Amino acid sequence: MEAPKLQVMNARTAADDTGTPTVLHWGRYMAHVRNGRVTAMQPDTRDAAPSAIGQSIIDATDSPARVRQPMVREGYLRHGPRKGNNARGAEPFVPVSWDEALTLVAQALSDTKTKHGNASIFGGSYGWSSAGRFHYAQGQLQRFLGMFGGFIDHRDSYSYGAMQVILPHIIGDTLRMRRDVPTWGDIAKHTQLFVAFGGVPVKNTQVNPGGLLQHTAIQEMVACRKAGVEFVNIGPLRDDITAGVEAQWISIRPNTDAAFMLAVAHTLITENIYDADFATRCCVGFDKLRDYIAGTTDGIAKTPAWAAVICGCSADEITNLARKIASKRTVMSMIWAVQRGDHGEQAPWLAVVLAALGGSLGKVGGGMGFGYGSVHAYGLDFMRLRAPGYGPGVNPVKDFIPVARISDALLNPGGTVDYNGKQLTYPDLRTVYWVGGNPFHHHQDLNKLVRAWQQPETIIVNEPFWTATARHADIVLPTTTPLERNDIAFGEGHFMAIKKAIAPVGQSRTDYEIFAALAEKLGFKNQFTEDRDEMQWLNLIYSSIKDQAAKTGLTMPGFDAFWADGVLTLPTQPRPEPLFASFRADPEKHPINTPTGKVELF
């Protein structure tokens, strides 16, 4: 077999004049600078549909909202750490030197560790932070705190947390970024019907965690439509799918997807058009599911007429869709947003039910996917090497809290919460260290979070901007933006150089520099840095990926050549067999990773 080949692109081909290449979550740009300030962000010329959001970095980089020097809340500077302090968010901040700020942080961490143990330090800060893999803030923080003795981490994601917990019990995998999930190319070739719960909102495809080179989601979907794929958008918003696919819109009330899906299953079963062979050979619990849908267990038959009242659609729309699913090669799609509600685990579970009963699970161009339209990468085909990163290391503390339970944990130390079949005990969190994210943006009940945020003795935030989280901290350390540092982005099969375009604004430092300085005060700088600077770490990260690629027969250029060229594109690979294809053929020989080895319908 011929060895796979790389496509190497020179950075300067992406701009008509000179500029500095950078990568944001919204795409690749050439940053143009005059007198030390960013004047323009030119999208990569290969991107036919660049996101306008990237232009916001021009004003943001030097805006009045920047944190320009270390700051400490006035009351904290006077009185030190206090539990249950109600002054956060109300008191002014006082500028201090870097040495004074770092001394305060080191003292707070050391005191907490000595008096209460490392399980009283929360380092599960949550957020996308940066498209660059070295300066990914959570990784930097977790490496630092792990070497300090450990910390309480978070578990799961705000984006798709219910799916993360429920799907492994049903199908053994969360299906987020697997190559064997149908890609848009597979769908164009083999799929007849694409049923999208929550649509495929192209506004979300502007972003990707590791950055991206080209926004292609709309053209991929339109190509599917031109190939004959029929799209159905189920949700409250007509424009949650591009007009170019001419989707049938079935309007339902928010958070009624489960009722709709139960009624679709009711039609499949009562009209005897479901895949009885798959339900018998490859699934467990079908008899109980059938009884529940029929109303045998609770006296309520989950008919289309029953669901129509709940959902606000017509019974005929449900019935007709069920018949289409049974007669066509179908992909069941669900966007992450659908599961962000009360009993959010029910809808993804039922998506599996419909894929199983509909007859397409395990067949090419059929089955299901959870994430089309949630980020740009889902549905694209690219070589999946492990994304380069600065390893977070080992956390000696094994306790954690579910990601959305930060308020409950702070307000109820020693309390309990049921999680994934177990009961967890909330730790007594005395110090919170947050980097690269903004819980006041993510969290659901902000008034509750404000109350909870008063409970710790110390809150430390590394942040470029005066976000709500920074304004409610005790110590704020100014950090750089992506334009003020070097890094490597890895998005959708593209390695992309991020080159420093401007000097750090004010007294800003990278998270790496901050944690290296803290590690020096706490006595483990050499362990943390391994005596490497930023560029040496980037070289090491790239080399590790180069070695990984070599095992697949792929020869990548050296770091210097990559850094000079700016973009390196990995080749695509032959498509794997469809997800669950071997399982469908012989579930006994190829069981899935569930307790029974089969799809758990009930």
Side-chain angles (χ1 to χ4, degrees), residues 214-527:
Q214 298 166 295
H215 291 83
T216 60
I218 292 179
Q219 68 188 56
E220 295 271 10
M221 294 172 63
V222 170
C224 291
R225 179 67 190 117
K226 289 180 178 178
V229 181
E230 181 180 356
F231 285 81
V232 180
N233 170 26
I234 303 170
L237 299 177
R238 182 194 298 271
D239 61 359
D240 263 349
I241 198 165
T242 179
V245 301
E246 302 170 332
Q248 176 192 0
W249 178 40
I250 301 178
S251 175
I252 65 172
R253 296 188 179 102
N255 210 30
T256 64
D257 303 80
F260 186 99
M261 297 161 94
L262 285 166
V264 171
H266 185 280
T267 300
L268 292 172
I269 294 169
T270 57
E271 295 191 1
N272 199 28
I273 53 176
Y274 71 98
D275 189 342
D277 173 68
F278 188 86
T280 302
R281 288 189 307 108
C282 302
C283 304
V284 295
F286 174 69
D287 53 344
K288 293 181 179 179
L289 175 72
R290 180 186 56 208
D291 289 346
Y292 174 72
I293 289 174
T296 303
T297 55
D298 61 1
I300 302 173
K302 313 308 182 293
T303 65
W306 165 84
V309 175
I310 296 170
C311 300
C313 63
S314 74
D316 286 344
E317 287 177 309
I318 298 173
T319 301
N320 292 336
L321 179 61
R323 293 168 181 165
K324 283 184 181 180
I325 291 171
S327 64
K328 296 176 180 288
R329 184 66 55 88
T330 302
V331 169
M332 305 299 306
S333 166
M334 180 169 290
I335 196 169
W336 295 343
V338 171
Q339 49 90 71
R340 295 185 200 140
D342 198 13
H343 293 84
E345 77 284 351
Q346 298 298 316
W349 192 344
L350 283 162
V352 176
V353 167
L354 295 187
L357 299 186
S360 295
L361 191 60
K363 297 179 180 179
V364 62
M368 62 209 164
F370 298 94
Y372 297 102
S374 294
V375 291
H376 190 267
Y378 203 100
L380 297 184
D381 185 25
F382 52 90
M383 179 182 282
R384 277 144 170 91
L385 293 179
R386 181 175 57 84
Y390 180 61
V394 177
N395 181 10
V397 175
K398 302 308 177 187
D399 294 336
F400 64 90
I401 62 171
V403 66
R405 293 289 184 169
I406 180 64
S407 292
D408 296 332
L410 291 173
L411 290 168
N412 303 292
T416 60
V417 59
D418 292 328
Y419 170 81
N420 200 13
K422 299 178 181 178
Q423 189 174 78
L424 305 180
T425 300
Y426 289 129
D428 183 8
L429 298 175
R430 299 301 181 108
T431 294
V432 171
Y433 204 143
W434 206 284
V435 300
N438 183 7
F440 283 84
H441 166 74
H442 266 109
H443 209 62
Q444 301 95 331
D445 186 337
L446 292 184
N447 289 324
K448 184 177 181 180
L449 181 60
V450 169
R451 295 194 304 273
W453 214 243
Q454 308 299 330
Q455 302 309 308
E457 295 174 354
T458 300
I459 295 179
I460 309 152
V461 172
N462 293 6
E463 177 60 49
F465 302 103
W466 282 110
T467 63
T469 302
R471 295 197 307 270
H472 286 79
D474 298 313
I475 304 169
V476 183
L477 305 180
T479 58
T480 55
T481 67
L483 292 175
E484 299 155 54
R485 59 202 185 210
N486 297 302
D487 213 332
I488 299 174
F490 181 51
E492 303 175 355
H494 304 286
F495 286 93
M496 296 170 281
I498 301 175
K499 299 188 180 183
K500 183 176 179 179
I502 58 173
V505 171
Q507 298 179 27
S508 300
R509 298 182 179 181
T510 67
D511 289 300
Y512 178 68
E513 292 170 328
I514 292 170
F515 290 125
L518 283 171
E520 183 174 26
K521 285 186 175 290
L522 295 167
F524 58 92
K525 180 181 179 181
N526 289 344
Q527 180 188 1

Side-chain angles (χ1 to χ4, degrees), residues 585-598:
D586 191 337
E588 303 303 325
K589 186 176 180 180
H590 301 284
I592 59 176
N593 187 26
T594 61
T596 61
K598 298 186 176 183

Side-chain angles (χ1 to χ4, degrees), residues 105-123:
V105 172
Q107 189 65 52
L109 292 170
S110 296
D111 288 349
T112 300
K113 179 177 180 176
T114 300
K115 296 176 183 177
H116 308 288
N118 284 81
S120 287
I121 300 171
F122 183 71

